[in-house]
Amino acid sequence: MLSWEIMRNVEEVITLEEFENALKGNPKGYVGLEPSGRVHLGTGLIIGNKVKDLMDNGVDMIVFLADWHAMINDKFGGDIEKIRLAGEYMKGVFSALGIRPRYIWADELVSKKEYWEKVIRVAKKTTLKRVKRAMTIMGRKEDEAELDSSKIIYPFMQVSDIFDMELDIALGGMDQRHAHMLARDLADKLGYKKPVAIHTVLLASLKGAGRMDPAEAKMSKSKEGSAIFVEDTEDDIRRKMKKAFCPPEIEGNPVLQIAKHVLFAYYIEKLVIPRPEKWGGDLVINSYEELEKIYGEGELHPMDLKNAVANELIRILKPIRDYIEKNDDIPRALGWIK
Ligand SMILES: Nc1ncnc2c1ncn2[C@@H]1O[C@H](COP(=O)(O)OP(=O)(O)OP(=O)(O)O)[C@@H](O)[C@H]1O
Ligand SMILES: N[C@@H](Cc1ccc(O)cc1)C(=O)O
């Protein structure tokens, strides 16, 4: 039986049976990150905490710092030195969050001839149409390879990373499923280990998702105003929350999503909504389900919800802010703080 902890925030597992079997051995899993900049709630607290859940269940977890992939994807204008600094910074942030996995840089894999053999073998078994469709794993649309065809190589590399590290488990948000499905389809054909794919929910942009595809409307560091970063100051968090989209509906409400997938999933058992005595005094909500019910019935004002969520985020993220204040050399070198 899979525990609640291991399944929280997981949208799909392919397949559950393979996952249960893998956990009986000493499975090796990974999640890949482009060390391309700052860490937001999605990467830090949804993915980061899932890495920890898997480690707590005996999975040898690797955080793969995809420096070469970030170069292909034009992060820091393709400046590999800055990308490496950003990777070192991410390690520090994860450690401050209490997440201490093993780290492997893509640079270690690409230095081997056998790695490039895998890239070619994967490409030989993949149609151009399928690899173009897979470009959403790098936050790009199909036609973005028209002017820069190096982008076509990226999905082949991501699949080859999985094969090269002989992984049992590949973790990522729902936006990574094209890579994992391709790896699963090709594993048997090419004689490599077939990974179990675990996909987490995607936190929506603070601006709201509307009817957009969840992968396109996700909280992302590349989309201005969409994200709360784990190192945001108290003022940043309050300002962003104030502006956040918070409709009366539950569906597609980014503030409720943070309450559900970050706060109640990992950090709190009750949410206290501070309210003046004349409006009934503080409201104590004992579960996410209760919050959804009260909010859905219009019994809780969006502004009160936003304030309560902001208060909790400020408290949870305090260790990260303390860490950054003491270790600001990389953010300074990268020009994030002056
Ligand atoms: N909003 C989100 N909610 C949950 N997980 C996310 C979210 N955004 C990204 N992830 C996951 O975090 C991992 C790292 O993603 P990535 O580095 O692309 O994040 P990002 O900040 O959105 O980057 P970029 O904006 O440059 O595409 C991936 O597994 C991805 O699925
Ligand atoms: N495509 C992932 C990063 C990644 C790179 C290489 C991998 O092997 C895995 C993941 C992202 O954009 O977040």
Side-chain angles (χ1 to χ4, degrees):
M1 256 307 264
L2 293 164
S3 63
W4 171 79
E5 285 85 0
I6 206 166
M7 293 303 287
R8 60 187 146 177
N9 288 342
V10 170
E11 192 152 327
E12 64 173 6
V13 178
I14 310 163
T15 67
L16 269 175
E17 196 188 340
E18 288 172 30
F19 185 31
E20 279 174 323
N21 282 335
L23 288 174
K24 290 180 194 144
N26 294 305
K28 188 157 78 159
Y30 99 134
V31 65
L33 308 174
E34 282 182 22
S36 47
R38 306 165 69 198
V39 179
H40 58 67
L41 298 181
T43 321
L45 302 184
I46 303 287
I47 292 291
N49 279 322
K50 187 50 59 192
V51 167
K52 198 156 175 289
D53 287 339
L54 289 164
M55 289 172 75
D56 291 344
N57 279 271
V59 183
D60 170 18
M61 278 304 283
I62 296 165
V63 169
F64 182 67
L65 296 169
D67 48 359
W68 278 57
H69 308 65
M71 178 174 65
I72 293 178
N73 211 2
D74 303 324
K75 300 296 157 75
F76 294 110
D79 182 334
I80 197 84
E81 293 308 318
K82 287 190 175 156
I83 291 169
R84 298 228 166 95
L85 274 179
E88 289 301 332
Y89 164 79
M90 283 171 110
K91 283 190 196 173
V93 169
F94 270 50
S95 166
L97 282 165
I99 305 155
R100 297 187 180 87
R102 213 145 57 88
Y103 289 97
I104 296 183
W105 290 89
D107 198 51
E108 294 171 38
L109 270 51
V110 304
S111 59
K112 296 177 304 178
K113 183 168 90 182
E114 297 73 29
Y115 176 80
W116 293 105
E117 184 190 333
K118 292 187 180 79
V119 173
I120 293 166
R121 291 177 50 152
V122 166
K124 276 202 163 295
K125 290 270 180 260
T126 311
T127 62
L128 192 56
K129 191 170 172 201
R130 184 157 187 193
V131 70
K132 278 188 170 174
R133 254 196 290 142
M135 281 176 56
T136 46
I137 63 169
M138 55 194 293
R140 302 278 177 179
K141 299 207 174 71
E142 295 190 10
D143 60 0
E144 288 189 75
E146 296 299 328
L147 290 176
D148 168 4
S149 51
S150 75
K151 296 207 163 56
I152 283 288
I153 307 170
Y154 185 123
F156 298 136
M157 288 176 72
Q158 187 161 332
V159 171
S160 303
D161 301 335
I162 296 173
F163 294 150
D164 200 63
M165 288 185 275
E166 299 184 326
L167 298 166
D168 301 287
I169 296 171
L171 168 69
M174 280 299 280
D175 57 338
Q176 301 300 309
R177 83 189 299 283
H178 277 304
H180 299 162
M181 297 316 286
L182 185 57
R184 285 181 59 83
D185 288 350
L186 294 184
D188 291 338
K189 286 189 197 146
L190 295 172
Y192 298 129
K193 196 180 252 183
K194 190 180 204 165
V196 174
I198 303 181
H199 301 137
T200 65
V201 294
L202 291 174
L203 284 182
S205 159
L206 292 178
K207 293 181 163 171
R211 285 167 196 271
M212 276 206 290
D213 167 1
E216 265 181 57
K218 66 170 192 161
M219 179 177 288
S220 155
K221 61 186 169 304
S222 323
K223 288 180 206 121
E224 188 58 34
S226 75
I228 291 185
F229 296 104
V230 296
E231 80 271 22
D232 274 348
T233 63
E234 179 167 348
D235 283 353
D236 292 333
I237 296 175
R238 292 208 187 281
R239 181 177 37 81
K240 289 181 181 181
M241 266 296 159
K242 211 178 217 165
K243 278 182 34 192
F245 179 64
C246 191
E249 298 82 38
I250 311 293
E251 199 69 25
N253 182 320
V255 182
L256 281 176
Q257 284 186 11
I258 294 172
K260 180 177 185 180
H261 299 300
V262 177
L263 303 184
F264 278 106
Y266 286 98
Y267 299 99
I268 62 170
E269 283 175 1
K270 59 181 192 309
L271 185 66
V272 180
I273 315 276
R275 281 197 310 201
E277 282 303 325
K278 62 174 173 180
W279 288 321
D282 286 358
L283 177 65
V284 180
I285 299 177
N286 291 300
S287 66
Y288 175 72
E289 290 67 34
E290 194 182 329
L291 172 63
E292 204 178 275
K293 186 167 179 292
I294 295 174
Y295 188 78
E297 287 167 354
E299 298 295 316
L300 177 61
H301 193 278
M303 213 52 221
D304 289 336
L305 171 67
K306 287 177 170 191
N307 279 332
V309 170
N311 289 343
E312 291 297 342
L313 283 179
I314 288 163
R315 182 181 64 78
I316 291 161
L317 297 175
K318 179 149 186 347
I320 314 298
R321 281 195 305 281
D322 293 347
Y323 170 84
I324 302 291
E325 271 157 33
K326 288 194 207 99
N327 301 274
D328 63 358
D329 40 331
I330 296 182
R332 275 184 202 288
L334 293 172
W336 296 332
I337 51 176
K338 299 276 174 295

